[in-house]
């Protein structure tokens, strides 16, 4: 049985070698096709996508809310006292008055049924 097993192993290994040889031949053909491409730079070539670079990201400051001036880490608003600083110009308001902020009126809340819209004194007996 050793002859049968060794013959089967040799046959199996030969089939693997033949498959690898076919793959090598296919890859060599692809390499030759790529090498045969024109290298004239007036025409697009196969590796355009690889050679293009993305532009560098724009710098942005979260504090000043401005692009292309400086990064947030380098913002002069958070600088120490030993560096000179001039704040960025503010947008002018109509009458140079500060904008007034109006708070909404407080909503009614019922403590007994824990619902907004009415107070405990106005609560129906069904809520208890």
């Amino acid at each position: 049985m050793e002859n049968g097993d060794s013959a089967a192993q040799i046959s199996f290994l030969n089939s693997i070698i033949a498959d690898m040889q076919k793959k090598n031949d296919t890859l060599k053909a692809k390499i030759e096709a790529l090498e045969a491409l024109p290298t004239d730079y007036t025409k697009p070539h196969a590796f355009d996508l690889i050679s293009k670079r993305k532009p560098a990201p724009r710098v942005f400051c979260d504090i000043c809310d401005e692009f292309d001036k400086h990064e947030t880490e380098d913002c002069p608003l958070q600088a120490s006292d030993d560096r000179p600083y001039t704040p960025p110009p503010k947008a002018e308001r109509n009458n140079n008055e500060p904008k007034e902020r109006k708070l909404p009126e407080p909503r009614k809340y019922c403590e007994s049924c824990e619902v907004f819209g009415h107070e405990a004194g106005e609560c129906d007996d069904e809520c208890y």
Side-chain angles (χ1 to χ4, degrees):
M1 287 194 90
E2 286 183 17
N3 285 341
D5 286 342
S6 60
Q9 286 179 350
I10 291 172
S11 174
F12 174 71
L13 293 174
N14 283 337
S15 69
I16 291 177
I17 292 171
D19 288 343
M20 293 298 228
Q21 187 63 41
K22 286 179 188 175
K23 287 182 184 178
N24 280 343
D25 291 341
T26 305
L27 291 174
K28 284 180 185 177
K30 286 182 181 180
I31 289 172
E32 288 174 5
L34 288 173
E35 287 176 345
L37 288 175
T39 57
D40 185 10
Y41 290 105
T42 60
K43 298 178 184 176
H45 51 84
F47 301 109
D48 274 347
L49 295 176
I50 296 172
S51 64
K52 289 185 181 177
R53 290 185 177 180
K54 292 183 180 180
R58 296 173 65 186
V59 294
F60 179 73
C61 177
D62 291 316
I63 298 170
C64 298
D65 200 29
E66 293 183 5
F67 280 100
D68 302 327
K69 300 264 181 172
H70 54 265
E71 293 280 348
T72 305
E73 296 83 24
D74 302 326
C75 183
L77 285 176
Q78 62 181 1
S80 61
D81 293 337
D82 52 323
R83 287 200 287 176
Y85 167 68
T86 55
K90 299 276 184 182
E92 293 183 23
R93 294 195 176 103
N94 286 341
N95 294 328
N96 288 335
E97 296 176 10
K99 187 176 179 181
E100 291 184 30
R101 183 174 174 205
K102 295 180 181 178
L103 295 176
E105 293 182 20
R107 294 170 54 186
K108 293 181 178 181
Y109 181 73
C110 179
E111 294 287 334
S112 59
C113 64
E114 299 179 353
V115 174
F116 284 101
H118 64 274
E119 293 179 350
E122 304 169 352
C123 188
D124 295 335
D125 293 331
E126 298 173 5
C127 293
Y128 296 108

